[in-house]
Amino acid sequence: MKEKIITHIQKYMVIVILIVLMIFFSILAPNFFAVNNFFTILRQVSMIGILSVGGAFIMISGGIDLSLGVQMGLSGIIAAKLMVNYGVPIAAACMLGLLATTLVGFLNGVIITTTNMQPLIATLGMMNIVKGINYIITDGLPIYGIPSRITVLGQGHIGPVPVPSIVMVITFCLGGFLLNKTYLGRYFYALGSNEEAARLTGLNTKKIRIFAYTIGGVLGGIAGLVLMARVNSAQPMSGWGNEMDVITACVVGGVSAAGGEGKMSGVIAGVLIMGVLSNGMAVLGLGEYHQVVVKGVVLILAVGFDCMQRIWGAKVKRIEV
Amino acid sequence: MSDVFLELSHITKYYPGVKALNDVSVELKKGEVHALVGENGAGKSTLIKILAGAVEPNGGEIILNGKHYEKMTPQSAKELGVEVIYQEFNLMPSLSVAENIFCGSYMGNGVIISRKKMEQEAERILRDMGLFISPGVLVKNLSVAYMQVVEIAKAISRNAEILVMDEPTAPLTNAEVEILFQVIGRLKEKGVTIIYISHRLNEIFQIADRITVLRDGNKIASHNTVDVSRKQLIYEMVGREITETYPTRNNSVGETILQLKNVTGNGVRNISFEVHKGEILGLAGLVGAGRTETIRMLFGADPKVSGQFLLNGKEISPKSPKEAVEHGILLIPEDRKRQGVILNLPIYMNITLPILPKISKFTVINKKLEKKMVDQQQAALRIKTPTLQQLVKNLSGGNQQKVVLAKWLVCQGQVLIFDEPTRGIDVGAKQEIYGLMNELCEQGMAIIMISSEMEEVIGMSDRIVVLSEGIQTAVLDRADFNQETILHHASGHH
């Protein structure tokens, strides 16, 4: 009974928060509630949205990836460097950028499964490695002069809808499909809930974990190409700190930081909440610095709620004896 | 009665939609061992939690030493000398015995701990209990039985007057149970009142002075142990006649399916035995004899050093559980909640987990087929649940065990290994599990069963292999089954 109430609260909480935030900003900032602004929000959240799908896979399977942010930087930087400095065709350059982040994700998985290292530490190390590589490739300077054909990916519209948002929606759909309809998704949940039981059921748990991180890398790469196309350049520091946005969006959307739980619909809501927050604060005139503080607060609130709900859940369970 | 020390008087506890305890009264005398028996869900744990202050009652009172209390809190219960030893130990593995015993009340001057003083005092407490454990040893290096002893010593060091033990013998072997009973005897002499919860009736008849039976939240009766028969007790617990004998089966033992030849590694040496189609092979021995260790090598969970596994005459060497499962060797592990089921996933997801690729096309699961298979298993195993979407954590132990079994039955294996198949499962559900094992056996499945319950091994097996300290000491046929012989071999005699 009590458990039911808790799951109901949890189920609709994100939607309620999203609506409350929108009402809040609409009242305070008159130019917030406009169709144009909504498309702006959709475009702004695209990269984090794409990344969050990868983040969600990794977290549902019981891991975490701090290198997702800088992976986004890496694919754009490699693609831009190849296109601009070496005249490599656009498609090939993008593929190579994508390949690089896929490899980074794969390595994350291999390191974690072979050494049994804490994912937090392993990907923290990887984050710094990739950060460094991004500096080395760019020599610390932005790469400009991206061919205009690729910028459609970041700046174009189909009707009123921004192309990056379309990429994001497609990613959400594929992500939801993978989680709900395929056994790979089922494996993620099993692994995140109880790795030992999954292993003793005959699953190749290492392979599944590596797979989750590798997909994370692929999505990090795609998000990076979109970002590069959108800002018309590759910045050495792009993606810094975005791993926090990803983790926050996932946890706000009900992906458990402890693994085994989470839904794509929740992740979408989480991404939108983060987008509305940033946009709303910007419209209100709160600067970047304030936004960082608010995002930190949101992360703590969301994880705190997740943990406390776990305590309540445990109490309910203990009572049942 | 004048010598009543603790009285739980007319205790009532409601949970939304559930009546956990209904006007239950129990009287305890100083220095007695009082057993609480009943099936899972009878209300034993709730009663204990009320006594320990973990749960507030809706009605009734607790009378301790003539003083009336409406309820307890965890602090007040401790102050009044009520200590509970739960099934999961509350020990810190990387600290020493002495540090664990005095955890929270370290001795010394101010903030400086006097290790020597603590160790001396710990040794005294342990000696009083009739045991000699070096107080400097780290708890992680102790056997389960001694860990339990440390838990008890911890309670004693806090001057426990009422000691509640919840299934204390579940993880212990027969020899270790004797140690525990000695300790309980000592505590009794010192006037400690003990509330003893167990599913094992033999032990209760051996150790308890009085027995209180609970069923569905009601107190059914309290007896002096000497005045009650086993049969009557079971009748009161279950509410109906139940045959406690092991169900008979009509199995015909077929050809050899699995052979172990001189298997060595993981703490065991030169294990050699055969398993036939349609038989139950019991693996007997004390904890630490190497039974689970042998099985884990066979299941690919731990590596073997030398020796061979022959399946249908062909050598196999599974390097992971995945490979073992592919060979049709399936394990129902000892620690159901941690290794058998995935508690936070629904029943149907647990059941189809091992065969998902087989019921999928291009990785997309055929949900119709999945539902059909799961429904079939629910019907065959009589899994009791309103819906298969239910999370496994909400099921009883018996039904969880059925989920593990169902998971393997959809795989159509050749050898099914049960490690402690009925641990923590109540009398009624036990019978069902035995019945299912027999059905499988009759259908020609080869079953290996590890069990620390002697009666279970004798009652269920066609043959028994006895291990002791990593060595195989006997292979017994049904005609040679008896408790003394098995114990003789289990304690190391060939």
Side-chain angles (χ1 to χ4, degrees):
Chain A
M1 184 63 187
K2 196 170 166 188
E3 200 167 11
K4 241 184 203 164
I5 296 170
I6 290 170
T7 46
H8 269 91
I9 293 175
Q10 211 203 358
K11 213 170 172 182
Y12 299 112
M13 188 74 133
V14 269
I15 310 283
V16 174
I17 293 175
L18 183 59
I19 293 169
V20 168
L21 276 177
M22 289 178 69
I23 294 173
F24 176 78
F25 285 122
S26 303
I27 294 170
L28 285 187
N31 40 356
F32 174 82
F33 199 85
V35 175
N36 256 346
N37 192 39
F38 290 145
F39 280 120
T40 307
I41 294 177
L42 272 186
R43 196 177 58 227
Q44 284 170 338
V45 298
S46 301
M47 277 75 67
I48 299 300
I50 297 165
L51 270 187
S52 294
V53 175
F57 290 162
I58 292 167
M59 287 173 73
I60 288 171
S61 60
I64 198 159
D65 191 348
L66 295 184
S67 68
L68 275 177
V70 290
Q71 283 186 34
M72 183 162 81
L74 180 67
S75 71
I77 286 168
I78 288 184
K81 181 88 176 176
L82 290 175
M83 282 186 254
V84 175
N85 292 25
Y86 299 96
V88 176
I90 294 175
C94 290
M95 285 313 290
L96 287 169
L98 211 56
L99 194 69
T101 54
T102 308
L103 188 70
V104 170
F106 177 76
L107 276 178
N108 274 332
V110 169
I111 292 168
I112 290 163
T113 51
T114 47
T115 65
N116 217 1
M117 197 188 284
Q118 297 267 1
L120 194 77
I121 303 300
T123 58
L124 180 70
M126 188 56 83
M127 176 173 93
N128 271 325
I129 294 172
V130 175
K131 251 186 201 176
I133 291 175
N134 289 353
Y135 269 131
I136 294 168
I137 297 176
T138 57
D139 213 3
L141 298 168
I143 302 172
Y144 293 109
I146 311 283
S148 60
R149 268 196 299 150
I150 183 72
T151 54
V152 175
L153 186 61
Q155 297 166 18
H157 289 81
I158 295 180
V161 189
V163 174
S165 311
I166 294 171
V167 178
M168 172 178 76
V169 170
I170 293 171
T171 315
F172 282 149
C173 292
L174 289 177
F177 184 80
L178 186 137
L179 279 183
N180 294 322
K181 303 284 178 192
T182 74
Y183 65 80
L184 297 166
R186 196 72 72 75
Y187 283 172
F188 289 160
Y189 287 107
L191 193 60
S193 301
N194 186 340
E195 180 167 3
E196 180 66 359
R199 190 175 79 94
L200 293 177
T201 303
L203 306 192
N204 189 335
T205 48
K206 289 189 177 180
K207 217 160 129 187
I208 299 167
R209 196 170 290 293
I210 293 172
F211 180 69
Y213 282 97
T214 309
I215 296 202
V218 173
L219 291 171
I222 293 173
L225 296 177
V226 173
L227 178 67
M228 171 196 74
R230 180 160 167 238
V231 298
N232 227 343
S233 64
Q235 304 286 334
M237 283 168 69
S238 69
W240 278 34
N242 285 141
E243 64 279 351
M244 282 302 151
D245 298 332
V246 169
I247 294 166
T248 311
C250 286
V251 178
V252 166
V255 177
S256 168
E261 276 170 44
K263 284 194 176 128
M264 199 40 71
S265 57
V267 175
I268 295 172
V271 168
L272 290 178
I273 287 177
M274 297 306 288
V276 167
L277 256 182
S278 299
N279 179 279
M281 286 189 290
V283 172
L284 280 182
L286 281 177
E288 183 86 4
Y289 303 150
H290 293 82
Q291 293 188 24
V292 175
V293 175
V294 172
K295 281 180 188 169
V297 172
V298 172
L299 177 65
I300 290 176
L301 285 179
V303 177
F305 182 76
D306 178 43
C307 293
M308 281 172 57
Q309 175 257 327
R310 222 158 273 281
I311 299 173
W312 300 334
K315 271 194 188 143
V316 170
K317 208 198 137 217
R318 253 182 266 139
I319 284 165
E320 259 171 27
V321 176
Chain B
M1 268 183 287
S2 59
D3 54 350
V4 170
F5 174 59
L6 167 71
E7 191 181 343
L8 296 160
S9 172
H10 303 287
I11 302 280
T12 300
K13 177 71 194 173
Y14 293 99
Y15 292 118
V18 196
K19 179 186 62 185
L21 287 173
N22 182 23
D23 195 22
V24 171
S25 298
V26 184
E27 291 175 344
L28 290 111
K29 298 173 192 168
K30 189 144 186 75
E32 75 168 346
V33 176
H34 195 115
L36 275 185
V37 298
E39 291 197 290
N40 287 344
K44 294 168 295 182
S45 303
T46 311
L47 193 62
I48 292 316
K49 281 176 189 158
I50 287 172
L51 177 61
V55 170
E56 265 183 42
N58 297 105
E61 56 179 356
I62 298 165
I63 306 162
L64 181 63
N65 247 341
K67 281 193 190 129
H68 295 244
Y69 302 89
E70 248 173 55
K71 57 165 193 187
M72 293 277 181
T73 65
Q75 289 77 22
S76 71
K78 280 221 154 72
E79 279 161 23
L80 293 168
V82 179
E83 292 280 346
V84 184
I85 293 171
Y86 292 101
Q87 287 174 33
E88 293 88 20
F89 299 149
N90 266 321
L91 296 173
M92 285 165 251
S94 47
L95 294 185
S96 74
V97 169
E99 282 165 324
N100 268 286
I101 291 177
F102 294 107
C103 169
S105 54
Y106 291 127
M107 292 178 186
N109 303 316
V111 292
I112 298 157
I113 296 168
S114 163
R115 201 153 262 134
K116 202 171 148 202
K117 208 166 143 193
M118 237 163 41
E119 292 192 356
Q120 280 171 352
E121 185 59 20
E123 200 167 356
R124 192 189 61 76
I125 291 174
L126 290 168
R127 211 178 326 113
D128 270 4
M129 290 165 61
L131 290 164
F132 299 92
I133 310 174
S134 166
V137 171
L138 299 189
V139 162
K140 66 179 171 196
N141 297 330
L142 297 177
S143 71
V144 182
Y146 283 106
M147 286 188 192
Q148 195 172 50
V149 166
V150 173
E151 278 276 16
I152 296 172
K154 199 164 110 183
I156 298 303
S157 79
R158 296 182 193 146
N159 298 318
E161 295 197 55
I162 296 162
L163 192 60
V164 182
M165 297 187 184
D166 191 0
E167 292 278 351
T169 55
L172 306 185
T173 60
N174 287 345
E176 291 171 323
V177 168
E178 285 309 317
I179 301 176
L180 177 71
F181 282 3
Q182 274 175 27
V183 171
I184 291 178
R186 288 280 187 127
L187 295 177
K188 250 177 81 170
E189 282 169 26
K190 297 179 70 181
V192 178
T193 305
I194 292 164
I195 300 178
Y196 189 95
I197 299 178
S198 179
H199 280 121
R200 300 184 181 176
L201 294 182
N202 278 354
E203 287 170 6
I204 286 171
F205 276 96
Q206 195 183 340
I207 195 82
D209 300 307
R210 292 199 303 147
I211 304 172
T212 292
V213 185
L214 298 179
R215 187 174 78 225
D216 299 330
N218 295 297
K219 181 175 134 176
I220 303 300
S222 281
H223 304 282
N224 287 321
T225 308
V226 288
D227 300 335
V228 65
S229 73
R230 195 183 164 96
K231 207 174 154 199
Q232 189 188 349
L233 211 55
I234 292 173
Y235 178 77
E236 287 177 354
M237 282 164 64
V238 185
R240 61 192 147 93
E241 289 276 358
I242 201 163
T243 47
E244 213 207 345
T245 48
Y246 291 86
T248 50
R249 59 175 176 265
N250 270 321
N251 59 327
S252 53
V253 176
E255 73 243 44
T256 304
I257 183 157
L258 177 75
Q259 222 180 335
L260 277 72
K261 275 188 174 172
N262 297 318
V263 172
T264 299
N266 205 14
V268 302
R269 291 191 302 285
N270 285 324
I271 307 290
S272 303
F273 59 79
E274 299 176 352
V275 192
H276 304 96
K277 274 190 175 170
E279 79 166 344
I280 297 182
L281 176 79
L283 273 188
L286 310 177
V287 166
R291 297 168 302 172
T292 301
E293 288 76 2
T294 307
I295 288 314
R296 281 180 66 91
M297 284 190 284
L298 172 61
F299 192 61
D302 288 316
K304 73 171 181 334
V305 176
S306 64
Q308 287 180 309
F309 297 118
L310 301 175
L311 185 68
N312 293 319
K314 265 184 259 160
E315 181 170 6
I316 56 163
S317 50
K319 292 193 181 49
S320 67
K322 182 175 192 283
E323 289 180 34
V325 171
E326 280 162 3
H327 286 304
I329 297 171
L330 311 170
L331 172 70
I332 295 174
E334 178 179 12
D335 191 340
R336 191 163 45 241
K337 288 185 176 164
R338 242 171 282 164
Q339 304 179 327
V341 287
I342 297 176
L343 292 170
N344 284 323
L345 290 189
I347 299 170
Y348 77 95
M349 286 194 190
N350 269 278
I351 293 178
T352 53
L353 194 56
I355 48 147
L356 285 174
K358 280 183 210 138
I359 57 167
S360 303
K361 234 183 200 165
F362 303 116
T363 78
V364 179
I365 302 166
N366 180 342
K367 296 225 169 161
K368 254 192 197 154
L369 182 60
E370 180 178 38
K371 183 164 181 342
K372 211 177 108 197
M373 293 180 94
V374 177
D375 284 342
Q376 226 172 356
Q377 290 304 327
Q378 181 187 18
L381 301 184
R382 297 174 289 277
I383 299 170
K384 285 184 211 96
T385 171
T387 154
L388 291 162
Q389 308 277 337
Q390 177 78 261
L391 300 186
V392 171
K393 68 176 172 191
N394 298 327
L395 297 180
S396 69
N399 278 308
Q400 287 181 355
Q401 191 70 307
K402 288 182 191 170
V403 171
V404 185
L405 193 52
K407 172 174 94 175
W408 291 138
L409 292 185
V410 297
C411 289
Q412 304 181 331
Q414 311 197 54
V415 181
L416 203 48
I417 309 163
F418 286 82
D419 196 350
E420 304 288 357
T422 60
R423 172 167 292 172
I425 291 178
D426 59 47
V427 188
K430 259 186 189 179
Q431 290 294 320
E432 280 195 77
I433 299 286
Y434 294 143
L436 290 169
M437 288 172 76
N438 282 347
E439 274 174 41
L440 290 170
C441 199
E442 282 163 9
Q443 290 160 20
M445 180 79 87
I447 294 178
I448 302 176
M449 181 185 74
I450 299 180
S451 174
S452 293
E453 281 186 56
M454 193 60 85
E455 288 170 19
E456 186 171 273
V457 182
I458 294 176
M460 289 299 294
S461 307
D462 291 300
R463 288 184 310 130
I464 295 176
V465 171
V466 188
L467 303 186
S468 170
E469 293 179 12
I471 298 169
Q472 182 176 333
T473 48
V475 181
L476 305 171
D477 284 318
R478 196 141 207 170
D480 305 324
F481 285 3
N482 72 59
Q483 212 145 330
E484 287 71 38
T485 319
I486 295 172
L487 269 179
H488 177 75
H489 293 297
S491 53
H493 301 278
H494 281 273

